[in-house]
Amino acid sequence: MKALLALEDGLVLSGRSFTGSGEAVGEVVFNTSMTGYQEILTDPSYKGQIVTMTYPMIGNYGVNLEDVESRRVQAEGFIIKEYYAYPSNWRARGTLADYLEASGRLGVEGIDTRAVTKRLREAGAMRGIISTLDLDPASLVRRARELPSMEGANLVDLVTCTEPYWWDETDAGPYSPTGNLQVLWQQRAGKKVVLYDYGVKFNIIRSLKARGLEVLVVPAATPAAAVLALNPDGIVLSNGPGDPAAVTYAVENIRQCLGQKPMFGICLGHQLMGLALGGRTFKLKFGHRGGNQPVKNLLNGKVEITSQNHGFAVDLNSINDPAVELTHVNLNDNTLEGLRHPKLKAFSVQYHPEASPGPHDADYLFDEFLNLVE
C-alpha cells in the first residue's frame, strides 16, 4: 500500500505501508541503533514523534513480550528502509508488522532513510506526516506545517501513570493501589525509593530493583510534600517526552525535594533537575538518539559509549550555583551529559544508564545512587 512521508520544509518521499492503512503525525527524528526496535517503539520519550531508523533492515528478529519499555507502543509512527516479514529468533512471539498494527501505529518501508537522516541533520528535527490516506504532497506539507511544535509541549501528562504503584516484575502493573500513599508505603520493607514517573522505561525500575531497592512509582504531578512525608531513602527522576521547560510543576516539586533526600535524574529527569537548580534548557538541532553516543566521564577520564534519546539539553553556563559540578560531556558536540551537587546529594545524566537498548558502560550510575541511599 502506497504511503508518503512529508516534512514541513517541503520534502516528500514515497514508500509503502507494511501495517495497512493509516496516518501518523509528529516530530520526525532518527535513531542510529542497530537493534532494539521494540524497546525504542515502547519508550515513552518518543511520545509525539515519528521514528526513522538508520539501520537498513528492521524486523528480522520479531517481537516478544519481554523487550518492552512501557505498556504500549509510544512512538507515533515508524519509518524504515526495508521490513523483514519472516523473523528468525527463538524468543520471537510475533512479527513487527502485526505488533504495530495491533497498536494502531503506522509503519512505512521503502523510504530513503539516508535522505531523511541527512535532511534532519542539516535542517534539524522537523514536523512531519506519514500517510496512506492523504496522498496529496501539497496537502501533507501544509498540514505538517500546521502541527504544534515540540518546543513548549508538555507531553509528560500523556504518559505518566495515573496512580502510584509498587513495581513487580510479575505483572508490571499497579500493586494494591489504594489512593493513599502512606498506606501503600507501609506495604513494603527494606530500602525504599520513590520514582517520579515522567514516562519511565521499565528497565530503569528493573535496574533499581536489581540492587535491592523497592520502587514506588508515583504520578508526575505528585506534590513534593506528599513524597517527603513518606521519608523515602531516595528519589529518582525518570526519563520522559517533550520540552522540560513546559513541565513547570515538576521543576517546583524537584526544587522542594533537593537536599532533603538523595536524588538521581535520568534524561528528562536530568533536564528537570537542571531547571530546578536554576538553569535553562534549549532544543538541540536534531537531538541524540541511538546506542552509540560517546560520553566522557570527567571524574575519571574514561569514555563511555551510551544509549541516548533526547531532543533538549541543559545549558550548564546558566546554572549559577558554584556547587554544581559538570561530570559528563558529549564528545560529538560538547553538550552537557551529567552534573552533580555533592552538598545536596543529587546527580543526573542526560543519557540512559539502564541501556535498553544499548551498551552497559553506564550501569555503574545505579550503584552510585545506591551508595548515596545507603
Side-chain angles (χ1 to χ4, degrees):
M1 182 178 296
K2 182 177 180 179
L4 292 182
L5 160 68
L7 299 179
E8 63 178 287
D9 72 343
L11 176 69
V12 178
L13 296 174
S14 179
R16 54 191 174 274
S17 166
F18 62 91
T19 58
S21 64
E23 188 171 273
V25 302
E27 182 182 54
V28 181
V29 299
F30 64 88
N31 187 298
T32 58
S33 297
M34 298 174 67
T35 62
Y37 51 80
Q38 191 175 359
E39 294 95 327
I40 290 166
L41 286 167
T42 55
D43 180 352
S45 296
Y46 280 115
K47 187 66 180 176
Q49 295 177 322
I50 298 171
V51 181
T52 303
M53 299 298 292
T54 61
Y55 191 73
M57 181 179 285
I58 300 294
N60 54 310
Y61 58 83
V63 296
N64 58 66
L65 300 177
E66 293 79 33
D67 291 348
V68 296
E69 288 301 310
S70 69
R71 296 179 181 87
R72 63 186 64 87
V73 173
Q74 304 285 356
E76 306 299 333
F78 203 39
I79 300 172
I80 60 176
K81 175 62 177 175
E82 180 182 353
Y83 171 64
Y84 191 79
Y86 306 99
S88 177
N89 187 285
W90 68 273
R91 298 176 69 235
R93 294 296 180 268
T95 67
L96 174 60
D98 289 342
Y99 183 68
L100 286 172
E101 193 168 0
S103 301
R105 294 296 194 268
L106 179 62
V108 175
E109 67 165 334
I111 295 286
D112 186 347
T113 52
R114 284 177 42 159
V116 175
T117 302
K118 288 182 67 177
R119 183 63 67 94
L120 297 179
R121 283 182 59 88
E122 292 167 359
M126 285 183 277
R127 295 166 293 180
I129 300 178
I130 49 176
S131 180
T132 67
L133 306 176
D134 182 353
L135 298 178
D136 179 353
S139 169
L140 289 175
V141 171
R142 174 184 55 77
R143 291 172 57 202
R145 291 171 178 168
E146 294 172 350
L147 293 173
S149 171
M150 188 60 70
E151 292 184 89
N154 173 11
L155 302 180
V156 168
D157 293 346
L158 302 179
V159 296
T160 187
C161 59
T162 58
E163 58 186 352
Y165 64 91
W166 288 110
W167 171 268
D168 284 294
E169 191 67 33
T170 53
D171 58 14
Y175 175 85
S176 302
T178 66
N180 185 311
L181 274 178
Q182 288 288 350
V183 173
L184 197 61
W185 188 250
Q186 299 305 319
Q187 294 177 349
R188 294 289 170 93
K191 293 290 184 181
K192 297 182 285 187
V193 299
V194 170
L195 183 144
Y196 267 108
D197 178 14
Y198 305 125
V200 67
K201 293 173 65 178
F202 285 168
N203 214 43
I204 290 177
I205 313 177
R206 293 182 184 122
S207 298
L208 295 166
K209 287 278 288 187
R211 286 157 175 82
L213 297 172
E214 294 290 350
V215 184
L216 180 66
V217 183
V218 300
T222 304
V227 169
L228 293 174
L230 302 175
N231 194 28
D233 295 296
I235 299 173
V236 180
L237 313 174
S238 85
N239 63 291
D243 186 344
V247 197
T248 53
Y249 62 80
V251 176
E252 181 55 34
N253 283 331
I254 295 169
R255 187 175 289 123
Q256 293 178 35
C257 291
L258 280 168
Q260 304 299 314
K261 297 293 176 181
M263 296 185 69
F264 179 24
I266 297 173
C267 198
L268 181 69
H270 159 79
Q271 297 161 8
L272 294 171
M273 184 180 290
L275 291 169
L277 289 169
R280 294 189 301 270
T281 54
F282 63 96
K283 195 173 190 302
L284 295 166
K285 185 175 181 180
F286 48 82
H288 303 151
R289 298 176 181 88
N292 55 357
Q293 292 282 331
V295 169
K296 185 173 183 178
N297 184 328
L298 300 180
L299 302 178
N300 59 24
K302 292 183 178 180
V303 175
E304 305 165 12
I305 303 303
T306 67
S307 176
Q308 302 202 12
N309 171 21
H310 62 104
F312 291 81
V314 177
D315 178 5
L316 182 68
N317 295 325
S318 65
I319 302 178
N320 296 320
D321 189 338
V324 175
E325 301 175 2
L326 169 65
T327 59
H328 299 78
V329 65
N330 189 293
L331 292 179
N332 283 335
D333 59 11
N334 293 315
T335 53
L336 173 65
E337 291 282 0
L339 59 82
R340 69 176 182 177
H341 196 304
K343 293 181 180 179
L344 300 181
K345 293 186 177 181
F347 72 103
S348 61
V349 291
Q350 181 61 82
Y351 48 97
H352 284 267
E354 83 286 350
S356 188
H360 297 163
D361 295 24
D363 188 63
Y364 69 91
L365 290 165
F366 290 104
D367 296 321
E368 291 193 356
F369 178 62
L370 180 62
N371 290 336
L372 283 182
V373 166
E374 293 180 337

